[in-house]
Amino acid sequence: MANQAPTPIQSSIPADLERELREIQTSSHTGQQGNLDDNKKRWLVVGICLHDILSPSLRIYVDPVVKTLYNALKRSDQIDIQTQTKYLRKYGATNIYLNYEAINNNKATHGFRSLLYDYKVQNAVDLSKLFLQTHMSHYTAFDEACDSSALLGMINKIDKFPLIVQTAANDVRSTLRNEWAHCNFLVWDDVKYVQSLQLIEDLIYILNLNAADEKQMIGELQKWRKNGTSFLQGYTISFELVNEIRQKLQVLVEYAEVISKTADIEFGKVHELLVDIAETLSQDDKGFQLLKM
């Protein structure tokens, strides 16, 4: 039988990713892992990598850039002492409208009565919120409450980030993070999974973090590549990995619950599905094939 020509998406996959894809597709199984199908497993592993690896990397990266911009705007526009009659309305060469609903509880206190808003931008974190939709701004520091959606959004809007970083971040945002949040498990096949982890790795390298942070984040990603293969293929896995998957899943459940209540009501679907996965793994004694010690 003649070899089939590669599809366009197969042709776009680098050789090293093709090898990884073949390993996932052809590795022998040592047992079934309960009732959780492979697409949900891939979606879960990618979610762990987004939340535990990419988001911390982005927080490290955006913090000094936004602080530098804030200090510059204090000098040039006195944004820290703005009033209702004199404030910076647009930013940058593209004239991005700044969203003052998002700071100082303006939307909650005054609704759409912008004449009553408090326009003083008190710190770099508040400055970052001006570039986001109001529902994305429920954080008070560049911490876990500031998630990948907000971080990727501010990178997209603030021109102080290099174009190469903006391009890579926009790719991750549109083809990975947003699709993950849409919870369409049908798209999470082997190709999507491998390409998603590669997108995360590429962006981390492009951020050019200090050597220690980059090594830590890439090391964590490689660990989850290995863990993900074991999880997907039904290899016997250790109690440590079982516990780590459950711990990371619980963190995702709590994160999704907070986001769905404070930032994005549509994220409730993500929370619901994560809870379902957690229940499946906890109720099914065969949810994991444990390594016999």
Side-chain angles (χ1 to χ4, degrees):
M1 181 176 175
N3 291 332
Q4 292 183 335
T7 65
I9 193 166
Q10 289 171 331
S11 299
S12 69
I13 303 175
D16 56 339
L17 296 191
E18 283 197 65
R19 286 194 295 272
E20 184 178 343
L21 184 57
R22 284 197 297 271
E23 286 180 10
I24 292 175
Q25 292 174 328
T26 63
S27 296
S28 61
H29 289 224
T30 62
Q32 296 297 317
Q33 290 196 13
N35 297 318
L36 198 62
D37 66 54
D38 280 354
N39 283 27
K40 289 184 179 180
K41 291 177 185 176
R42 295 186 194 99
W43 180 80
L44 173 59
V45 172
V46 169
I48 290 171
C49 292
L50 278 172
H51 187 71
D52 273 25
I53 301 170
L54 182 61
S55 290
S57 300
L58 293 174
R59 292 184 199 112
I60 293 169
Y61 178 72
V62 304
D63 191 341
V65 177
V66 179
K67 283 180 178 176
T68 298
L69 176 59
Y70 176 68
N71 290 330
L73 291 176
K74 280 203 300 183
R75 292 191 297 269
S76 64
D77 295 271
Q78 297 182 311
I79 60 169
D80 55 325
I81 56 172
Q82 294 181 141
T83 66
Q84 289 95 337
T85 58
K86 186 179 180 182
Y87 62 93
L88 185 65
R89 289 171 168 79
K90 301 178 184 179
Y91 168 81
T94 55
N95 287 323
I96 294 173
Y97 279 96
L98 300 178
N99 178 24
Y100 287 94
E101 283 186 1
I103 65 171
N104 300 326
N105 290 318
N106 283 332
K107 178 67 179 297
T109 305
H110 303 295
F112 296 106
R113 295 173 293 175
S114 58
L115 289 176
L116 300 177
Y117 285 178
D118 179 355
Y119 287 91
K120 293 187 291 292
V121 184
Q122 302 178 50
N123 51 59
V125 173
D126 280 356
L127 174 64
S128 72
K129 297 178 183 181
L130 300 184
F131 295 90
L132 303 174
Q133 298 178 55
T134 306
H135 74 266
M136 299 168 64
S137 64
H138 295 276
Y139 56 92
T140 58
F142 294 128
D143 57 14
E144 289 190 358
C146 183
D147 73 346
S148 59
S149 180
L151 292 159
L152 293 167
M154 66 182 77
I155 290 174
N156 176 56
K157 296 291 187 180
I158 298 175
D159 60 8
K160 299 304 179 185
F161 295 106
L163 181 59
I164 187 174
V165 174
Q166 290 183 316
T167 301
N170 288 340
D171 197 12
V172 168
R173 186 185 186 194
S174 61
T175 65
L176 175 51
R177 196 277 171 187
N178 287 352
E179 285 205 23
W180 185 83
H182 290 157
C183 308
N184 179 7
F185 294 128
L186 294 178
V187 306
W188 291 98
D189 57 13
D190 291 326
V191 172
K192 180 70 172 177
Y193 175 73
V194 170
Q195 290 184 327
S196 295
L197 296 185
Q198 189 61 46
L199 279 174
I200 293 174
E201 180 176 340
D202 291 345
L203 179 52
I204 291 173
Y205 278 125
I206 289 171
L207 297 179
N208 196 26
L209 305 175
N210 68 52
D213 287 332
E214 181 179 282
K215 181 179 179 180
Q216 178 186 352
M217 298 305 177
I218 294 298
E220 282 293 305
L221 184 62
Q222 299 299 0
K223 182 185 78 173
W224 278 102
R225 270 200 173 105
K226 180 179 178 181
N227 289 348
T229 299
S230 299
F231 188 33
L232 283 164
Q233 294 304 324
Y235 296 148
T236 53
I237 57 180
S238 68
F239 285 101
E240 289 79 6
L241 178 53
V242 170
N243 288 333
E244 186 165 15
I245 290 173
R246 286 175 173 157
Q247 288 169 5
K248 299 297 185 184
L249 176 54
Q250 183 58 36
V251 170
L252 276 178
V253 168
E254 293 171 0
Y255 154 72
E257 182 177 20
V258 170
I259 295 298
S260 65
K261 289 181 177 179
T262 62
D264 186 356
I265 192 170
E266 294 183 2
F267 220 72
K269 180 66 173 178
V270 176
H271 177 253
E272 177 184 331
L273 291 170
L274 288 168
V275 170
D276 287 345
I277 290 173
E279 290 178 351
T280 299
L281 295 181
S282 64
Q283 291 175 2
D284 190 344
D285 291 336
K286 296 180 180 179
F288 296 100
Q289 293 292 323
L290 297 178
L291 181 64
K292 304 298 183 183
M293 302 301 290

